Amino acid sequence: MKLVVFGANGETGRQVTAQAIAEGHTVTAVTRRPEDFPLSHQRLRVTGADVLDPAAVERCVAGQEAVISTLGVPFGRNPVTVYSEGITHITQAMTKHGVRRLVCVTSTVLFDVPAPGETFFFRKVLEPLIARTVGRTVYDDMRRMEQIVRDGDQAWTIVRPAGLFDAEAVSGYRIATSRLPGRFTSRADLADALLRQVTGDGHLRAFVDVRTSEGVPSILDVIRKEAFGSRK
């Protein structure tokens, strides 16, 4: 399959790219800094482009069979528009070039239901603090992105992982169309889930949660390492 990955130089984007190549797909990895991209392969094309540039996005989408978006920005106080503007340009390019399959990443927070089986502190204090204060501008724009995707005519799937962390290999993760128990999703598992979705049709026009249950870190470790970095 011919896949284009936006946000390819983030940690999840690199995982998706590597796993897709290993499975025999042909990948166009889109990044603003192609000189920093660490992977190379005969079936990999690394392209320098900004998702905020509609003409550049269109060139990347042309000739593809499916699109994966792993766009990510760090938490901060400034307004965020990368998700909504980027997906607008992506879906417009997909419509123009007849590319139907779209899979993108947001967050489990957007299910807007309490985390199943969680402690009172996590449900009522910690997660609201992250969702409504620390990460508010990011999640606001993720919601705008989801609405744009829902309103489009693509064959879309939105994957909503939990707190991301690094792992060496894909595990026996869980996937569902409702929020799952657990606090974390490994990037290896998320990448595998994205590939399973983009190459199949089991969750068309649906939101899916992906949750890792094996070898998960402590919440303090993840917050310290992940919360304020752009590593999606």
Side-chain angles (χ1 to χ4, degrees):
M1 196 175 206
K2 293 181 180 179
L3 304 174
V4 56
V5 179
F6 288 93
N9 211 18
E11 295 292 327
T12 300
R14 293 178 184 180
Q15 286 267 4
V16 170
T17 300
Q19 290 186 24
I21 291 170
E23 292 185 11
H25 301 293
T26 298
V27 181
T28 297
V30 183
T31 171
R32 290 179 300 164
R33 302 180 303 277
E35 67 279 1
D36 296 334
F37 199 72
L39 306 176
S40 62
H41 194 276
Q42 61 184 7
R43 282 184 278 102
L44 171 64
R45 178 168 67 100
V46 181
T47 300
D50 190 330
V51 76
L52 301 181
D53 180 347
V57 171
E58 184 181 323
R59 289 192 295 271
C60 296
V61 170
Q64 305 294 335
E65 295 178 272
V67 176
I68 298 175
S69 172
T70 62
L71 296 173
V73 296
F75 293 159
R77 295 183 179 181
N78 294 329
V80 174
T81 63
V82 170
Y83 298 98
S84 56
E85 288 189 45
I87 208 66
T88 295
H89 299 153
I90 289 169
T91 53
Q92 288 174 345
M94 292 177 71
T95 297
K96 180 172 183 178
H97 291 283
V99 181
R100 293 282 299 149
R101 193 69 173 108
L102 170 65
V103 178
C104 49
V105 179
T106 57
S107 169
T108 191
V109 168
L110 274 62
F111 278 109
D112 290 324
V113 297
E118 267 297 349
T119 64
F120 179 88
F121 178 78
F122 183 89
R123 289 186 291 108
K124 298 297 185 180
V125 179
L126 185 56
E127 185 169 81
L129 174 66
I130 294 172
R132 300 171 191 170
T133 304
V134 178
R136 180 181 59 81
T137 57
V138 167
Y139 294 125
D140 284 350
D141 200 41
M142 282 184 175
R143 293 184 191 279
R144 289 189 288 268
M145 181 180 82
E146 288 196 347
Q147 187 62 55
I148 292 165
V149 172
R150 286 198 300 265
D151 291 343
D153 62 359
Q154 282 74 33
W156 57 267
T157 303
I158 294 177
V159 180
R160 292 169 165 174
L164 296 174
F165 72 99
D166 292 326
E168 294 184 359
V170 176
S171 73
Y173 61 87
R174 297 180 62 190
I175 188 166
T177 54
S178 58
R179 187 167 185 177
L180 291 165
R183 296 174 178 174
F184 305 111
T185 307
S186 80
R187 291 186 174 90
D189 289 347
L190 175 57
D192 185 78
L194 292 169
L195 286 174
R196 302 288 74 75
Q197 296 303 310
V198 84
T199 57
D201 57 4
H203 295 98
L204 292 180
R205 301 185 71 83
F207 303 93
V208 296
D209 196 353
V210 178
R211 205 56 55 100
T212 301
S213 57
E214 305 169 15
V216 297
S218 73
I219 192 165
L220 290 179
D221 286 342
V222 170
I223 290 174
R224 183 166 51 247
K225 186 175 182 181
E226 309 287 345
F228 300 98
S230 178
R231 301 192 61 209
K232 177 165 287 183

